[in-house]
Amino acid sequence: MSAPKLAKPLLASLALILAACGGDEKNPSGPQGALRVVTTSLPPAYVGEAYSAQLRSEGGLRPHTFKLEGNLPRGLTFNNGAFTGTPQEKGSFEFTAFLEDASLSRNFQKFTLTVTDPPPPKVNLALPQSETAEPFLMTVRLEGRESRAFQAQFVFKDLKAALDTLKAADGLLYVARYNAEKGILDVDAAWITPRKDTEALRLSLTPAKPLRPLQQMAGNIKTAFYDKDGKRFAQADTFPRDPSQGQYDFETLLLIAQNWGKKAQPAENKQGEAPAAQPNP
């Protein structure tokens, strides 16, 4: 007599299982949700620099398949969601990525990829932040992209530079010219091997009055960087060189660095110029 009482719970459980299975058949996306492209934008690309990016997707039934419709810059390829290569042209390139899953559900996302000249490295000055009237050390650090050479101009307002304390990093050839009356220090420098994220120079400065060094130097430095092949970065600063401080040829300095160890003969220094530093072998 107890069997009929157990039949109802058993049938109810079986009905729930069948309903769940039927739901999956009618909705191929299942518990994963709707198929969509998660990536909505791409990182910028730079001419002549290796580039990689990956489109991400979710929902639907895996495996997912990407196809692209539109134009990519020369040098860049697309393979099922992956962008790889080295762009060879600048511009804004528009295209659409179409996504398809195993159940043939589809979705898409439009993209614009911007390709520009690579930005130059950045100069980070290590200086005291608090007010001081005592001598202090300024450290010049280069960060960001790899560089072969650079030119820099420092304007020291109410600061006196001790040129004899100027120290360059190992592997850096440089020529320094200092106009004490104007408080301008010009530095031409070239690395024997390209560098990035490294300290380049150190110099002792003495305030003429109490001041905040970090605030004082803000906006008082200009730089022009050259990439690993010795080509000037497009976004470099422009600034004049004072003829009275000598006519050392920057191109010659760069050539010496590029041919270091190949018996390159340094050009004779002009009168009034500090000699190029000799890095440690």
Side-chain angles (χ1 to χ4, degrees), residues 36-43 51 53-57 66-72 78 81 83 92-99 107-114:
R36 73 185 187 97
V37 181
V38 177
T39 306
T40 58
S41 63
L42 294 172
Y51 181 85
Q54 177 69 51
L55 298 182
R56 294 177 54 245
S57 59
F66 277 104
K67 293 183 179 180
L68 202 69
E69 184 177 289
N71 296 320
L72 289 177
F78 180 82
F83 296 88
S92 294
F93 301 86
E94 297 181 353
F95 46 84
T96 302
F98 291 92
L99 174 64
N107 208 332
F108 68 92
Q109 179 69 47
K110 293 184 177 181
F111 294 94
T112 299
L113 176 63
T114 302

Side-chain angles (χ1 to χ4, degrees), residues 7-22:
K8 289 185 179 180
L10 180 62
L11 291 175
S13 299
L14 183 60
L16 289 174
I17 294 174
L18 292 175
C21 293

Side-chain angles (χ1 to χ4, degrees), residues 138-270:
M138 177 182 75
T139 301
V140 180
R141 183 176 174 82
L142 311 182
E143 298 179 346
R145 278 176 164 66
E146 193 174 51
S147 176
R148 186 62 189 253
F150 65 91
Q151 294 174 288
Q153 185 175 85
F154 303 86
V155 180
F156 299 126
K157 295 182 178 180
D158 297 319
L159 291 167
K160 182 179 180 181
L163 196 60
D164 59 338
T165 67
L166 181 61
K167 179 177 174 55
D170 290 342
L172 182 67
L173 303 178
Y174 75 94
V175 173
R177 311 177 187 94
Y178 180 47
N179 186 320
E181 182 179 352
K182 296 182 179 180
I184 295 177
L185 173 66
D186 286 322
V187 177
D188 292 342
W191 298 97
I192 290 177
T193 56
R195 299 285 186 88
K196 65 180 294 187
D197 299 330
T198 185
E199 180 181 312
L201 301 167
R202 289 189 174 192
L203 176 66
S204 179
L205 300 171
T206 301
K209 60 181 181 181
L211 50 77
R212 296 179 181 273
L214 188 61
Q215 179 179 340
Q216 190 77 3
M217 286 301 298
N220 287 322
I221 175 174
K222 294 181 179 180
T223 54
F225 283 95
Y226 297 76
D227 65 18
K228 61 182 180 179
D229 298 318
K231 182 180 178 182
R232 184 184 177 100
F233 279 91
Q235 301 178 36
D237 292 330
T238 57
F239 46 92
R241 285 289 192 238
D242 190 339
S244 66
Q245 296 182 42
Q247 295 293 331
Y248 192 93
D249 191 336
F250 172 74
E251 285 71 21
T252 301
L253 181 66
L254 177 59
L255 186 62
I256 294 172
Q258 291 173 324
N259 290 278
W260 189 263
K262 301 178 182 178
K263 297 183 179 180
Q265 296 299 320
E268 182 180 354
N269 290 338
K270 302 292 190 301

Side-chain angles (χ1 to χ4, degrees), residues 60-79:
L61 292 179
R62 294 187 180 276
H64 294 173
T65 302
F66 277 104
K67 293 183 179 180
L68 202 69
E69 184 177 289
N71 296 320
L72 289 177
R74 291 196 315 273
L76 207 61
T77 60
F78 180 82
N79 182 21

